[in-house]
Amino acid sequence: MNVTPLTAWIEGIGFLAPGLPDWPTARAVLRGEQPYTAALSVLPVPAILPPAERRRASRVIKLTLAIGFEAAANAGADVSTLATVFTASGADGHNCHALCEQLASDDRQISPTRFHNSVHNAAAGYWGIATKAMAPCQVICAFDASFGAGLLDALGQVVVDGQPTLLIAYDSEYPEPLHSQRETPDCGGVALLLTPERTARSQAQITLSPTTAAADKLLDRDLEALRTSIPALRSLPLLSRLARGEAGAVCLDYLTPMQLRIELQPC
Amino acid sequence: MSPLLLSAYTATTCLGHGLDATLVGLREGRSGLTPCTFESVELATWIGEVAAVDEQELPAALAEYDCRNNRLVQLGLEADGFAERVRAAIARYGKSRVGIFLGTSTAGILQTELAYRRRDPLSGALPADFNYRTTHNSFSLAAFARAYFGLEGPAMAISTACSSSAKVFAAAARQLACGSIDAALVGGADSLCLTTLYGFASLQLTSTRPCRPYDAARDGISVGEAAAFALLERAPASPATGSVLLLGAGESSDAYHMSSPHPEGLGAKMAMQAALRSAGLQPDDIDYLNLHGTATPANDAAEGKAVAALFGDRVPCSSTKGATGHTLGAAGAVEAVICALALTDNLLPGSPHSENIDPSIPVRYLLKAQPGKPRRALSNSFGFGGSNCSLVLGVAE
């Protein structure tokens, strides 16, 4: 069996995390050009959604629209044509809490909106409504390994199907009492537009291979805390190298004992 | 895509545990649906409950995964000697070369629903025995299966509502094509819970009777539960006669509405076309269609339009949800296995409970099971949020 390298070019990047409202800010912090300042995540209002959907848009929907659109704009890509891979360690925690609370009460007549927002692919569904993209849309969960699982599938689509694919990895917090079991502190995510061929807009080439080495950590204590507490930000060592424009390999957390080694070559 | 071999497969639904029970049920046109008496649910609806789920005991070392959904996973894995076939593949290829791709919509959320009834009255805390990661989280069934087989390779759960366990075939096919793995455990499991029963009722999508797909008087779904799995490997150049092959997979998005399909079935049509293209086949090459056929007025009308536009009224088709209920995230895998049975056992499944075919849907819908000799079957799975997937399966001559 010939192994086809899982390789792609990164053409666009979107980012949002506590204290890091977009990719330019994150890039400057990761390059050491400005200090990290802790703050709550700021989620833009999704003006793209029709008013009815906008009113119902949860935090994960605002988050995914923000980072997905940032990555597409960064690449000058038309969102309506892109295949997507959504990956998250959980769904909309606030909605889930409200549902479980009501189902434990005497009145189990839950709202239809709450129910359809409870599916793991709710953010992906709203993305489709907002962008009119009819291309394939994959929605993955691998708990703490969700970024790695999403990256594997997105690279599979790029390599096998030869299509540009927008990877949107994101997480949000659960309120109490679930928060005690799942201490994700806030919203955070990264979007990468991956393409099968190098173009004038390509920022770097990445090639993924399995390893059992330990994941790279970040030297900055606050950034390292983000990496370990928000599963989508297990991607930070890769983004850090991307921000600095350095060739070389990084190792990201996936599923013990399998880890992901990513060779990066800036364009 | 290059054809993939389903070197083993199994399904456990309300029709019974494993392939024999499923096949007999389909042949006899039996339905496993019963009036809903699940847990403390008070809804006038019918369900497809799998027998003996709660009697399953997980291995002591995996006790943290214990919940109804993972019990159902184990019950399903142990049917038809499927787990042994997985272990043989692991022995052949190595534990880092067998990937896990499992679909689900709600995983073990029932465990959380029950835990919320036992919250500390003062602090509001959940009981100490509750474990979100290993039961409720959408990945819990894949993590459980990975631990069950001691695997060390890639794993993921796919959760796109009712297309989940069809899309796992596409995801696994990509990794097999790249050579990142040599075999894939694919499939899915979804178990009964309050969220889906009350949720579909809130959308007025549940029927007070057993569901009647494609019937003129259809009025909603019957929620079911199931676990169905397949072992996928790259097919040899000349597969043995009678082997079942995955020939193609097609995915699309409706980009229309969270809980209603595109009224013209545009996304459905795109998924079927993509599956045919992936298999290198034309509509005329398909001998049986297992429809998504949920029995809601809007879903069947939209799917029917797409099928009629692509296949006319030539291809025999049916929805088997009157037999199994709508098993949500497990439906794609259940119906892929039903297609495999149709291909190997010369069967065109019917549609128990459906009586009068909707005359406004011009497709060749089968009410009763009949003998046939389908060589290639297409299975449709369409989910909330407009997530569509079609699979093409074939049998080696």
Side-chain angles (χ1 to χ4, degrees), chain B residues 349-385:
Chain B
S351 183
H353 295 302
S354 297
E355 288 170 5
N356 304 299
I357 300 168
D358 185 340
S360 70
I361 308 179
V363 298
R364 190 176 155 199
Y365 194 81
L366 305 177
L367 289 178
K368 302 276 177 237
Q370 42 185 270
K373 212 171 167 30
R375 313 310 297 158
R376 296 188 194 92
L378 183 144
S379 180
N380 280 339
S381 300
F382 307 136
F384 260 19

PDB file of all heavy atoms in Angstrom, chain B residues 349-385:
ATOM      1  N   PRO B 349     -36.502  -5.107   0.439  1.00  0.00           N
ATOM      2  CA  PRO B 349     -37.303  -4.901   1.656  1.00  0.00           C
ATOM      3  C   PRO B 349     -38.547  -4.054   1.391  1.00  0.00           C
ATOM      4  O   PRO B 349     -38.546  -3.194   0.508  1.00  0.00           O
ATOM      5  CB  PRO B 349     -36.343  -4.163   2.603  1.00  0.00           C
ATOM      6  CG  PRO B 349     -34.991  -4.363   2.040  1.00  0.00           C
ATOM      7  CD  PRO B 349     -35.164  -4.496   0.559  1.00  0.00           C
ATOM      8  N   GLY B 350     -39.582  -4.308   2.185  1.00  0.00           N
ATOM      9  CA  GLY B 350     -40.813  -3.527   2.074  1.00  0.00           C
ATOM     10  C   GLY B 350     -40.881  -2.479   3.172  1.00  0.00           C
ATOM     11  O   GLY B 350     -39.857  -2.071   3.715  1.00  0.00           O
ATOM     12  N   SER B 351     -42.095  -2.073   3.474  1.00  0.00           N
ATOM     13  CA  SER B 351     -42.298  -0.918   4.345  1.00  0.00           C
ATOM     14  C   SER B 351     -43.467  -1.189   5.286  1.00  0.00           C
ATOM     15  O   SER B 351     -44.582  -0.725   5.054  1.00  0.00           O
ATOM     16  CB  SER B 351     -42.571   0.303   3.464  1.00  0.00           C
ATOM     17  OG  SER B 351     -42.702   1.459   4.232  1.00  0.00           O
ATOM     18  N   PRO B 352     -43.223  -1.978   6.366  1.00  0.00           N
ATOM     19  CA  PRO B 352     -44.318  -2.320   7.264  1.00  0.00           C
ATOM     20  C   PRO B 352     -45.022  -1.067   7.794  1.00  0.00           C
ATOM     21  O   PRO B 352     -44.368  -0.060   8.026  1.00  0.00           O
ATOM     22  CB  PRO B 352     -43.638  -3.098   8.396  1.00  0.00           C
ATOM     23  CG  PRO B 352     -42.173  -2.944   8.205  1.00  0.00           C
ATOM     24  CD  PRO B 352     -41.940  -2.558   6.791  1.00  0.00           C
ATOM     25  N   HIS B 353     -46.321  -1.172   7.951  1.00  0.00           N
ATOM     26  CA  HIS B 353     -47.212  -0.100   8.429  1.00  0.00           C
ATOM     27  C   HIS B 353     -47.646   0.850   7.312  1.00  0.00           C
ATOM     28  O   HIS B 353     -48.717   1.448   7.402  1.00  0.00           O
ATOM     29  CB  HIS B 353     -46.612   0.722   9.583  1.00  0.00           C
ATOM     30  CG  HIS B 353     -46.397  -0.064  10.834  1.00  0.00           C
ATOM     31  ND1 HIS B 353     -47.416  -0.712  11.475  1.00  0.00           N
ATOM     32  CD2 HIS B 353     -45.268  -0.327  11.554  1.00  0.00           C
ATOM     33  CE1 HIS B 353     -46.935  -1.334  12.540  1.00  0.00           C
ATOM     34  NE2 HIS B 353     -45.633  -1.124  12.600  1.00  0.00           N
ATOM     35  N   SER B 354     -46.837   1.031   6.262  1.00  0.00           N
ATOM     36  CA  SER B 354     -47.287   1.895   5.163  1.00  0.00           C
ATOM     37  C   SER B 354     -48.344   1.124   4.374  1.00  0.00           C
ATOM     38  O   SER B 354     -48.171  -0.071   4.110  1.00  0.00           O
ATOM     39  CB  SER B 354     -46.120   2.269   4.253  1.00  0.00           C
ATOM     40  OG  SER B 354     -45.172   3.024   4.982  1.00  0.00           O
ATOM     41  N   GLU B 355     -49.446   1.787   4.029  1.00  0.00           N
ATOM     42  CA  GLU B 355     -50.545   1.090   3.346  1.00  0.00           C
ATOM     43  C   GLU B 355     -50.875   1.681   1.988  1.00  0.00           C
ATOM     44  O   GLU B 355     -51.020   0.973   1.001  1.00  0.00           O
ATOM     45  CB  GLU B 355     -51.805   1.108   4.228  1.00  0.00           C
ATOM     46  CG  GLU B 355     -51.680   0.176   5.421  1.00  0.00           C
ATOM     47  CD  GLU B 355     -52.800   0.358   6.418  1.00  0.00           C
ATOM     48  OE1 GLU B 355     -53.736   1.148   6.150  1.00  0.00           O
ATOM     49  OE2 GLU B 355     -52.725  -0.292   7.491  1.00  0.00           O
ATOM     50  N   ASN B 356     -51.045   2.973   1.948  1.00  0.00           N
ATOM     51  CA  ASN B 356     -51.427   3.629   0.699  1.00  0.00           C
ATOM     52  C   ASN B 356     -50.331   4.583   0.268  1.00  0.00           C
ATOM     53  O   ASN B 356     -50.135   5.626   0.892  1.00  0.00           O
ATOM     54  CB  ASN B 356     -52.740   4.408   0.883  1.00  0.00           C
ATOM     55  CG  ASN B 356     -53.846   3.495   1.382  1.00  0.00           C
ATOM     56  OD1 ASN B 356     -54.212   2.529   0.718  1.00  0.00           O
ATOM     57  ND2 ASN B 356     -54.340   3.774   2.582  1.00  0.00           N
ATOM     58  N   ILE B 357     -49.639   4.203  -0.788  1.00  0.00           N
ATOM     59  CA  ILE B 357     -48.520   5.020  -1.242  1.00  0.00           C
ATOM     60  C   ILE B 357     -49.027   6.401  -1.644  1.00  0.00           C
ATOM     61  O   ILE B 357     -50.063   6.530  -2.293  1.00  0.00           O
ATOM     62  CB  ILE B 357     -47.830   4.348  -2.442  1.00  0.00           C
ATOM     63  CG1 ILE B 357     -47.306   2.963  -2.024  1.00  0.00           C
ATOM     64  CG2 ILE B 357     -46.700   5.203  -2.970  1.00  0.00           C
ATOM     65  CD1 ILE B 357     -46.862   2.113  -3.184  1.00  0.00           C
ATOM     66  N   ASP B 358     -48.295   7.421  -1.252  1.00  0.00           N
ATOM     67  CA  ASP B 358     -48.650   8.805  -1.596  1.00  0.00           C
ATOM     68  C   ASP B 358     -48.627   8.956  -3.121  1.00  0.00           C
ATOM     69  O   ASP B 358     -47.564   8.843  -3.738  1.00  0.00           O
ATOM     70  CB  ASP B 358     -47.637   9.750  -0.942  1.00  0.00           C
ATOM     71  CG  ASP B 358     -48.003  11.219  -1.146  1.00  0.00           C
ATOM     72  OD1 ASP B 358     -48.785  11.521  -2.082  1.00  0.00           O
ATOM     73  OD2 ASP B 358     -47.497  12.053  -0.377  1.00  0.00           O
ATOM     74  N   PRO B 359     -49.786   9.194  -3.734  1.00  0.00           N
ATOM     75  CA  PRO B 359     -49.828   9.248  -5.205  1.00  0.00           C
ATOM     76  C   PRO B 359     -49.080  10.454  -5.778  1.00  0.00           C
ATOM     77  O   PRO B 359     -48.755  10.464  -6.965  1.00  0.00           O
ATOM     78  CB  PRO B 359     -51.334   9.358  -5.517  1.00  0.00           C
ATOM     79  CG  PRO B 359     -51.943   9.898  -4.271  1.00  0.00           C
ATOM     80  CD  PRO B 359     -51.089   9.440  -3.117  1.00  0.00           C
ATOM     81  N   SER B 360     -48.776  11.440  -4.931  1.00  0.00           N
ATOM     82  CA  SER B 360     -48.073  12.626  -5.457  1.00  0.00           C
ATOM     83  C   SER B 360     -46.563  12.419  -5.523  1.00  0.00           C
ATOM     84  O   SER B 360     -45.837  13.303  -5.957  1.00  0.00           O
ATOM     85  CB  SER B 360     -48.411  13.846  -4.593  1.00  0.00           C
ATOM     86  OG  SER B 360     -47.804  13.702  -3.326  1.00  0.00           O
ATOM     87  N   ILE B 361     -46.077  11.247  -5.066  1.00  0.00           N
ATOM     88  CA  ILE B 361     -44.634  10.975  -5.139  1.00  0.00           C
ATOM     89  C   ILE B 361     -44.402   9.868  -6.170  1.00  0.00           C
ATOM     90  O   ILE B 361     -44.654   8.695  -5.896  1.00  0.00           O
ATOM     91  CB  ILE B 361     -44.058  10.545  -3.770  1.00  0.00           C
ATOM     92  CG1 ILE B 361     -44.450  11.557  -2.680  1.00  0.00           C
ATOM     93  CG2 ILE B 361     -42.541  10.418  -3.853  1.00  0.00           C
ATOM     94  CD1 ILE B 361     -43.951  11.192  -1.287  1.00  0.00           C
ATOM     95  N   PRO B 362     -43.923  10.246  -7.365  1.00  0.00           N
ATOM     96  CA  PRO B 362     -43.863   9.277  -8.468  1.00  0.00           C
ATOM     97  C   PRO B 362     -42.613   8.399  -8.447  1.00  0.00           C
ATOM     98  O   PRO B 362     -41.760   8.481  -9.324  1.00  0.00           O
ATOM     99  CB  PRO B 362     -43.890  10.176  -9.704  1.00  0.00           C
ATOM    100  CG  PRO B 362     -43.217  11.437  -9.261  1.00  0.00           C
ATOM    101  CD  PRO B 362     -43.484  11.585  -7.786  1.00  0.00           C
ATOM    102  N   VAL B 363     -42.491   7.541  -7.404  1.00  0.00           N
ATOM    103  CA  VAL B 363     -41.378   6.592  -7.364  1.00  0.00           C
ATOM    104  C   VAL B 363     -41.942   5.180  -7.219  1.00  0.00           C
ATOM    105  O   VAL B 363     -43.113   5.001  -6.884  1.00  0.00           O
ATOM    106  CB  VAL B 363     -40.411   6.905  -6.185  1.00  0.00           C
ATOM    107  CG1 VAL B 363     -39.795   8.289  -6.343  1.00  0.00           C
ATOM    108  CG2 VAL B 363     -41.118   6.773  -4.835  1.00  0.00           C
ATOM    109  N   ARG B 364     -41.085   4.172  -7.471  1.00  0.00           N
ATOM    110  CA  ARG B 364     -41.558   2.779  -7.396  1.00  0.00           C
ATOM    111  C   ARG B 364     -41.371   2.256  -5.969  1.00  0.00           C
ATOM    112  O   ARG B 364     -40.398   1.578  -5.652  1.00  0.00           O
ATOM    113  CB  ARG B 364     -40.770   1.924  -8.401  1.00  0.00           C
ATOM    114  CG  ARG B 364     -41.345   0.532  -8.568  1.00  0.00           C
ATOM    115  CD  ARG B 364     -40.594  -0.229  -9.638  1.00  0.00           C
ATOM    116  NE  ARG B 364     -40.694  -1.658  -9.433  1.00  0.00           N
ATOM    117  CZ  ARG B 364     -39.873  -2.536  -9.969  1.00  0.00           C
ATOM    118  NH1 ARG B 364     -38.885  -2.130 -10.765  1.00  0.00           N
ATOM    119  NH2 ARG B 364     -40.025  -3.812  -9.726  1.00  0.00           N
ATOM    120  N   TYR B 365     -42.324   2.620  -5.127  1.00  0.00           N
ATOM    121  CA  TYR B 365     -42.199   2.328  -3.699  1.00  0.00           C
ATOM    122  C   TYR B 365     -42.747   0.940  -3.377  1.00  0.00           C
ATOM    123  O   TYR B 365     -43.854   0.586  -3.785  1.00  0.00           O
ATOM    124  CB  TYR B 365     -42.948   3.391  -2.891  1.00  0.00           C
ATOM    125  CG  TYR B 365     -42.592   3.359  -1.427  1.00  0.00           C
ATOM    126  CD1 TYR B 365     -41.433   3.967  -0.976  1.00  0.00           C
ATOM    127  CD2 TYR B 365     -43.399   2.695  -0.506  1.00  0.00           C
ATOM    128  CE1 TYR B 365     -41.083   3.930   0.367  1.00  0.00           C
ATOM    129  CE2 TYR B 365     -43.063   2.649   0.832  1.00  0.00           C
ATOM    130  CZ  TYR B 365     -41.899   3.262   1.270  1.00  0.00           C
ATOM    131  OH  TYR B 365     -41.554   3.214   2.591  1.00  0.00           O
ATOM    132  N   LEU B 366     -41.996   0.158  -2.613  1.00  0.00           N
ATOM    133  CA  LEU B 366     -42.402  -1.207  -2.276  1.00  0.00           C
ATOM    134  C   LEU B 366     -43.065  -1.248  -0.901  1.00  0.00           C
ATOM    135  O   LEU B 366     -42.442  -0.897   0.092  1.00  0.00           O
ATOM    136  CB  LEU B 366     -41.187  -2.135  -2.244  1.00  0.00           C
ATOM    137  CG  LEU B 366     -40.306  -2.189  -3.487  1.00  0.00           C
ATOM    138  CD1 LEU B 366     -39.109  -3.103  -3.234  1.00  0.00           C
ATOM    139  CD2 LEU B 366     -41.107  -2.687  -4.690  1.00  0.00           C
ATOM    140  N   LEU B 367     -44.315  -1.672  -0.865  1.00  0.00           N
ATOM    141  CA  LEU B 367     -44.982  -1.836   0.425  1.00  0.00           C
ATOM    142  C   LEU B 367     -44.579  -3.152   1.074  1.00  0.00           C
ATOM    143  O   LEU B 367     -44.363  -3.231   2.277  1.00  0.00           O
ATOM    144  CB  LEU B 367     -46.502  -1.787   0.251  1.00  0.00           C
ATOM    145  CG  LEU B 367     -47.089  -0.413  -0.099  1.00  0.00           C
ATOM    146  CD1 LEU B 367     -48.598  -0.522  -0.299  1.00  0.00           C
ATOM    147  CD2 LEU B 367     -46.765   0.617   0.977  1.00  0.00           C
ATOM    148  N   LYS B 368     -44.522  -4.211   0.252  1.00  0.00           N
ATOM    149  CA  LYS B 368     -44.204  -5.549   0.789  1.00  0.00           C
ATOM    150  C   LYS B 368     -42.818  -5.981   0.335  1.00  0.00           C
ATOM    151  O   LYS B 368     -42.410  -5.690  -0.788  1.00  0.00           O
ATOM    152  CB  LYS B 368     -45.224  -6.583   0.258  1.00  0.00           C
ATOM    153  CG  LYS B 368     -46.654  -6.249   0.603  1.00  0.00           C
ATOM    154  CD  LYS B 368     -47.015  -6.742   2.006  1.00  0.00           C
ATOM    155  CE  LYS B 368     -48.437  -6.335   2.376  1.00  0.00           C
ATOM    156  NZ  LYS B 368     -48.507  -5.535   3.607  1.00  0.00           N
ATOM    157  N   ALA B 369     -42.142  -6.723   1.206  1.00  0.00           N
ATOM    158  CA  ALA B 369     -40.850  -7.293   0.835  1.00  0.00           C
ATOM    159  C   ALA B 369     -41.061  -8.258  -0.327  1.00  0.00           C
ATOM    160  O   ALA B 369     -42.073  -8.945  -0.394  1.00  0.00           O
ATOM    161  CB  ALA B 369     -40.257  -8.040   2.021  1.00  0.00           C
ATOM    162  N   GLN B 370     -40.145  -8.266  -1.250  1.00  0.00           N
ATOM    163  CA  GLN B 370     -40.238  -9.237  -2.335  1.00  0.00           C
ATOM    164  C   GLN B 370     -38.855  -9.757  -2.708  1.00  0.00           C
ATOM    165  O   GLN B 370     -37.856  -9.103  -2.446  1.00  0.00           O
ATOM    166  CB  GLN B 370     -40.941  -8.626  -3.542  1.00  0.00           C
ATOM    167  CG  GLN B 370     -40.552  -7.202  -3.879  1.00  0.00           C
ATOM    168  CD  GLN B 370     -41.397  -6.655  -5.013  1.00  0.00           C
ATOM    169  OE1 GLN B 370     -41.035  -6.799  -6.166  1.00  0.00           O
ATOM    170  NE2 GLN B 370     -42.506  -6.037  -4.664  1.00  0.00           N
ATOM    171  N   PRO B 371     -38.827 -10.974  -3.295  1.00  0.00           N
ATOM    172  CA  PRO B 371     -37.522 -11.478  -3.721  1.00  0.00           C
ATOM    173  C   PRO B 371     -37.015 -10.645  -4.896  1.00  0.00           C
ATOM    174  O   PRO B 371     -37.816 -10.095  -5.657  1.00  0.00           O
ATOM    175  CB  PRO B 371     -37.812 -12.917  -4.157  1.00  0.00           C
ATOM    176  CG  PRO B 371     -39.296 -13.044  -4.276  1.00  0.00           C
ATOM    177  CD  PRO B 371     -39.935 -11.891  -3.575  1.00  0.00           C
ATOM    178  N   GLY B 372     -35.729 -10.523  -5.009  1.00  0.00           N
ATOM    179  CA  GLY B 372     -35.144  -9.772  -6.113  1.00  0.00           C
ATOM    180  C   GLY B 372     -33.686 -10.137  -6.195  1.00  0.00           C
ATOM    181  O   GLY B 372     -33.208 -10.957  -5.406  1.00  0.00           O
ATOM    182  N   LYS B 373     -33.007  -9.559  -7.145  1.00  0.00           N
ATOM    183  CA  LYS B 373     -31.577  -9.860  -7.232  1.00  0.00           C
ATOM    184  C   LYS B 373     -30.807  -8.552  -7.433  1.00  0.00           C
ATOM    185  O   LYS B 373     -30.162  -8.352  -8.461  1.00  0.00           O
ATOM    186  CB  LYS B 373     -31.338 -10.827  -8.402  1.00  0.00           C
ATOM    187  CG  LYS B 373     -30.163 -11.774  -8.122  1.00  0.00           C
ATOM    188  CD  LYS B 373     -30.068 -12.855  -9.176  1.00  0.00           C
ATOM    189  CE  LYS B 373     -28.769 -13.628  -9.159  1.00  0.00           C
ATOM    190  NZ  LYS B 373     -28.093 -13.793  -7.901  1.00  0.00           N
ATOM    191  N   PRO B 374     -30.926  -7.646  -6.472  1.00  0.00           N
ATOM    192  CA  PRO B 374     -30.220  -6.372  -6.646  1.00  0.00           C
ATOM    193  C   PRO B 374     -28.704  -6.596  -6.627  1.00  0.00           C
ATOM    194  O   PRO B 374     -28.203  -7.411  -5.857  1.00  0.00           O
ATOM    195  CB  PRO B 374     -30.667  -5.547  -5.434  1.00  0.00           C
ATOM    196  CG  PRO B 374     -31.109  -6.547  -4.420  1.00  0.00           C
ATOM    197  CD  PRO B 374     -31.621  -7.716  -5.185  1.00  0.00           C
ATOM    198  N   ARG B 375     -28.007  -5.908  -7.519  1.00  0.00           N
ATOM    199  CA  ARG B 375     -26.538  -5.993  -7.555  1.00  0.00           C
ATOM    200  C   ARG B 375     -25.902  -4.746  -6.959  1.00  0.00           C
ATOM    201  O   ARG B 375     -24.779  -4.771  -6.498  1.00  0.00           O
ATOM    202  CB  ARG B 375     -26.019  -6.179  -9.005  1.00  0.00           C
ATOM    203  CG  ARG B 375     -26.726  -7.227  -9.851  1.00  0.00           C
ATOM    204  CD  ARG B 375     -26.860  -8.565  -9.166  1.00  0.00           C
ATOM    205  NE  ARG B 375     -25.596  -9.215  -8.852  1.00  0.00           N
ATOM    206  CZ  ARG B 375     -25.459 -10.142  -7.917  1.00  0.00           C
ATOM    207  NH1 ARG B 375     -26.484 -10.482  -7.171  1.00  0.00           N
ATOM    208  NH2 ARG B 375     -24.279 -10.684  -7.719  1.00  0.00           N
ATOM    209  N   ARG B 376     -26.647  -3.632  -7.046  1.00  0.00           N
ATOM    210  CA  ARG B 376     -26.130  -2.391  -6.473  1.00  0.00           C
ATOM    211  C   ARG B 376     -27.267  -1.645  -5.785  1.00  0.00           C
ATOM    212  O   ARG B 376     -28.357  -1.523  -6.348  1.00  0.00           O
ATOM    213  CB  ARG B 376     -25.512  -1.503  -7.554  1.00  0.00           C
ATOM    214  CG  ARG B 376     -24.292  -2.127  -8.211  1.00  0.00           C
ATOM    215  CD  ARG B 376     -23.614  -1.140  -9.119  1.00  0.00           C
ATOM    216  NE  ARG B 376     -22.656  -1.821  -9.990  1.00  0.00           N
ATOM    217  CZ  ARG B 376     -22.945  -2.276 -11.200  1.00  0.00           C
ATOM    218  NH1 ARG B 376     -24.154  -2.116 -11.707  1.00  0.00           N
ATOM    219  NH2 ARG B 376     -22.010  -2.880 -11.916  1.00  0.00           N
ATOM    220  N   ALA B 377     -27.001  -1.168  -4.601  1.00  0.00           N
ATOM    221  CA  ALA B 377     -28.026  -0.473  -3.824  1.00  0.00           C
ATOM    222  C   ALA B 377     -27.494   0.890  -3.383  1.00  0.00           C
ATOM    223  O   ALA B 377     -26.298   1.058  -3.166  1.00  0.00           O
ATOM    224  CB  ALA B 377     -28.382  -1.306  -2.593  1.00  0.00           C
ATOM    225  N   LEU B 378     -28.400   1.834  -3.305  1.00  0.00           N
ATOM    226  CA  LEU B 378     -28.033   3.163  -2.814  1.00  0.00           C
ATOM    227  C   LEU B 378     -28.841   3.440  -1.554  1.00  0.00           C
ATOM    228  O   LEU B 378     -30.031   3.136  -1.499  1.00  0.00           O
ATOM    229  CB  LEU B 378     -28.316   4.213  -3.890  1.00  0.00           C
ATOM    230  CG  LEU B 378     -27.914   5.662  -3.578  1.00  0.00           C
ATOM    231  CD1 LEU B 378     -27.400   6.353  -4.848  1.00  0.00           C
ATOM    232  CD2 LEU B 378     -29.079   6.457  -3.008  1.00  0.00           C
ATOM    233  N   SER B 379     -28.176   3.966  -0.531  1.00  0.00           N
ATOM    234  CA  SER B 379     -28.840   4.254   0.733  1.00  0.00           C
ATOM    235  C   SER B 379     -28.743   5.743   1.042  1.00  0.00           C
ATOM    236  O   SER B 379     -27.664   6.326   0.959  1.00  0.00           O
ATOM    237  CB  SER B 379     -28.177   3.437   1.851  1.00  0.00           C
ATOM    238  OG  SER B 379     -28.824   3.712   3.075  1.00  0.00           O
ATOM    239  N   ASN B 380     -29.872   6.337   1.380  1.00  0.00           N
ATOM    240  CA  ASN B 380     -29.921   7.773   1.678  1.00  0.00           C
ATOM    241  C   ASN B 380     -30.014   8.033   3.176  1.00  0.00           C
ATOM    242  O   ASN B 380     -30.781   7.355   3.871  1.00  0.00           O
ATOM    243  CB  ASN B 380     -31.164   8.407   1.037  1.00  0.00           C
ATOM    244  CG  ASN B 380     -30.968   8.687  -0.439  1.00  0.00           C
ATOM    245  OD1 ASN B 380     -29.838   8.790  -0.916  1.00  0.00           O
ATOM    246  ND2 ASN B 380     -32.074   8.818  -1.165  1.00  0.00           N
ATOM    247  N   SER B 381     -29.277   9.044   3.632  1.00  0.00           N
ATOM    248  CA  SER B 381     -29.401   9.494   5.021  1.00  0.00           C
ATOM    249  C   SER B 381     -29.295  11.011   5.046  1.00  0.00           C
ATOM    250  O   SER B 381     -28.290  11.570   4.609  1.00  0.00           O
ATOM    251  CB  SER B 381     -28.284   8.899   5.880  1.00  0.00           C
ATOM    252  OG  SER B 381     -28.354   7.497   5.863  1.00  0.00           O
ATOM    253  N   PHE B 382     -30.326  11.637   5.560  1.00  0.00           N
ATOM    254  CA  PHE B 382     -30.366  13.102   5.567  1.00  0.00           C
ATOM    255  C   PHE B 382     -30.643  13.582   6.984  1.00  0.00           C
ATOM    256  O   PHE B 382     -31.552  13.073   7.633  1.00  0.00           O
ATOM    257  CB  PHE B 382     -31.475  13.609   4.631  1.00  0.00           C
ATOM    258  CG  PHE B 382     -31.387  13.043   3.232  1.00  0.00           C
ATOM    259  CD1 PHE B 382     -32.519  12.585   2.583  1.00  0.00           C
ATOM    260  CD2 PHE B 382     -30.158  12.960   2.575  1.00  0.00           C
ATOM    261  CE1 PHE B 382     -32.439  12.065   1.291  1.00  0.00           C
ATOM    262  CE2 PHE B 382     -30.072  12.431   1.296  1.00  0.00           C
ATOM    263  CZ  PHE B 382     -31.220  11.987   0.643  1.00  0.00           C
ATOM    264  N   GLY B 383     -29.887  14.574   7.437  1.00  0.00           N
ATOM    265  CA  GLY B 383     -30.022  14.988   8.837  1.00  0.00           C
ATOM    266  C   GLY B 383     -30.410  16.443   9.027  1.00  0.00           C
ATOM    267  O   GLY B 383     -30.279  17.262   8.121  1.00  0.00           O
ATOM    268  N   PHE B 384     -30.831  16.741  10.250  1.00  0.00           N
ATOM    269  CA  PHE B 384     -31.055  18.108  10.717  1.00  0.00           C
ATOM    270  C   PHE B 384     -29.873  18.986  10.348  1.00  0.00           C
ATOM    271  O   PHE B 384     -28.732  18.538  10.364  1.00  0.00           O
ATOM    272  CB  PHE B 384     -31.088  18.090  12.243  1.00  0.00           C
ATOM    273  CG  PHE B 384     -32.446  18.111  12.821  1.00  0.00           C
ATOM    274  CD1 PHE B 384     -33.546  17.758  12.081  1.00  0.00           C
ATOM    275  CD2 PHE B 384     -32.622  18.486  14.145  1.00  0.00           C
ATOM    276  CE1 PHE B 384     -34.808  17.773  12.653  1.00  0.00           C
ATOM    277  CE2 PHE B 384     -33.871  18.502  14.716  1.00  0.00           C
ATOM    278  CZ  PHE B 384     -34.960  18.148  13.973  1.00  0.00           C
ATOM    279  N   GLY B 385     -30.150  20.236  10.096  1.00  0.00           N
ATOM    280  CA  GLY B 385     -29.065  21.140   9.733  1.00  0.00           C
ATOM    281  C   GLY B 385     -28.706  20.979   8.273  1.00  0.00           C
ATOM    282  O   GLY B 385     -27.775  21.599   7.784  1.00  0.00           O
TER     283      GLY B 385
END
